[in-house]
Amino acid sequence: MNALIMDMEKDEKIRRNRAKTTQRIVEALEDVIAERGLEGVGVNRVAEKANVSKVLIYRYFGGMEGLLEYYVKMGKLFPVFTPTLLDQIRPLHESDVARIWYRQVIQTYRYFRTFKAAREILKASVIENDSIAETTAKAQDEEMTRLVNQLSFAKGADTQAISAVILGAMTYLTIMAQNDRTMISIDLRSEEGWERIENAIKTIYIALNKMAINSKDVQLELQSNHLPAAQW
């Protein structure tokens, strides 16, 4: 019995040590990305920054690509859209859909603008052409696709294409802001400029939401009058 307890305590100690080491590696990864950008990330640099053997990075994550994928999927860039989280933000009424969507978009890109490591990953996933950038881009796309597919805001509309346009635009504007650029004379370095952008996003989603509701009302009226959609 004592031997069993000792083994359990030993296993728990190993788990705690691994969790602490993993946290150090993740924090070191963030520091390296913030300092050098994604193109400057490597196993040796991260291991040195974390003060661990690079063997541990391969053992825990399988290498740099595995570490980056773990980093993205632990919710360091944006929420990981698990079924539980999606249930929590699912609208109770159709009129709530627009509010949920524009808040998700605005909060996500505010985070990118304020968190340098996340912003560097966002930029690299768009402009870099290597396996590391591909890993982060794929992980981001999987999460956003899960959100789009489970919170479709306009039945019968191409929600994937609509979301691609909006999220792509926000990504581009965020990268432009990092490079101190303007867009249509809007200063992307200022809070006033981003307030205008965010209000525009809100307007788009509200309009889409109204369009979806109106379209549904029209369809219901046609059905009640037994009129085919083509005749309408």
Side-chain angles (χ1 to χ4, degrees):
M1 188 66 178
N2 288 338
L4 179 60
I5 293 174
M6 290 177 64
D7 287 342
M8 292 175 62
E9 291 176 345
K10 182 179 179 181
D11 290 343
E12 180 61 27
K13 184 177 180 180
I14 292 172
R15 282 194 292 270
R16 286 199 303 269
N17 288 340
R18 175 161 181 157
K20 290 179 180 178
T21 302
T22 298
Q23 182 63 28
R24 282 164 55 194
I25 292 172
V26 167
E27 290 174 354
L29 173 66
E30 285 184 343
D31 289 343
V32 174
I33 292 173
E35 292 167 5
R36 299 175 178 269
L38 195 62
E39 67 275 11
V41 169
V43 171
N44 290 335
R45 282 202 178 109
V46 174
E48 182 179 359
K49 178 72 79 171
N51 196 26
V52 300
S53 168
K54 66 180 182 180
V55 173
L56 287 179
I57 295 178
Y58 287 103
R59 184 184 301 166
Y60 289 1
F61 308 102
M64 185 51 59
E65 292 179 19
L67 173 56
L68 281 165
E69 185 174 0
Y70 173 85
Y71 177 78
V72 173
K73 292 196 171 184
M74 68 185 293
K76 298 296 286 186
L77 300 184
F78 42 73
V80 175
F81 296 111
T82 62
T84 300
L85 178 57
L86 288 170
D87 284 340
Q88 291 175 352
I89 63 176
R90 195 177 303 280
L92 296 177
H93 306 286
E94 283 186 313
S95 58
D96 295 333
V97 178
R99 175 178 52 80
I100 291 173
W101 268 101
Y102 69 69
R103 282 186 178 178
Q104 287 296 320
V105 172
I106 288 171
Q107 289 172 2
T108 296
Y109 284 89
R110 279 180 181 173
Y111 183 69
F112 280 129
R113 295 199 307 276
T114 57
F115 186 26
K116 192 172 190 300
R119 196 166 62 247
E120 288 292 334
I121 290 178
L122 181 70
K123 181 174 71 173
S125 68
V126 174
I127 65 176
E128 296 293 334
N129 186 24
D130 58 35
S131 59
I132 291 179
E134 175 66 23
T135 296
T136 57
K138 182 179 178 182
Q140 291 178 62
D141 189 59
E142 287 175 355
E143 292 304 321
M144 298 311 293
T145 299
R146 186 176 295 113
L147 176 68
V148 170
N149 288 344
Q150 294 198 37
L151 278 180
S152 296
F153 53 86
K155 299 299 182 183
D158 191 343
T159 56
Q160 286 186 322
I162 292 169
S163 297
V165 169
I166 293 175
L167 297 177
M170 289 295 284
T171 295
Y172 181 73
L173 291 172
T174 300
I175 293 171
M176 291 281 282
Q178 180 174 335
N179 295 331
D180 292 334
R181 300 288 196 270
T182 60
M183 174 60 71
I184 319 297
S185 299
I186 296 176
D187 186 357
L188 299 176
R189 297 163 298 182
S190 69
E191 287 302 315
E192 180 186 1
W194 276 104
E195 184 178 354
R196 292 176 65 187
I197 297 295
E198 291 177 355
N199 284 334
I201 293 295
K202 184 185 298 185
T203 299
I204 291 170
Y205 277 118
I206 290 173
L208 286 169
N209 202 172
K210 288 181 178 178
M211 180 188 72
I213 293 172
N214 290 339
S215 176
K216 182 177 179 181
D217 290 342
V218 168
Q219 291 298 324
L220 289 173
E221 184 177 351
L222 289 172
Q223 291 171 12
S224 66
N225 292 326
H226 306 291
L227 293 175
Q231 184 174 336
W232 170 77

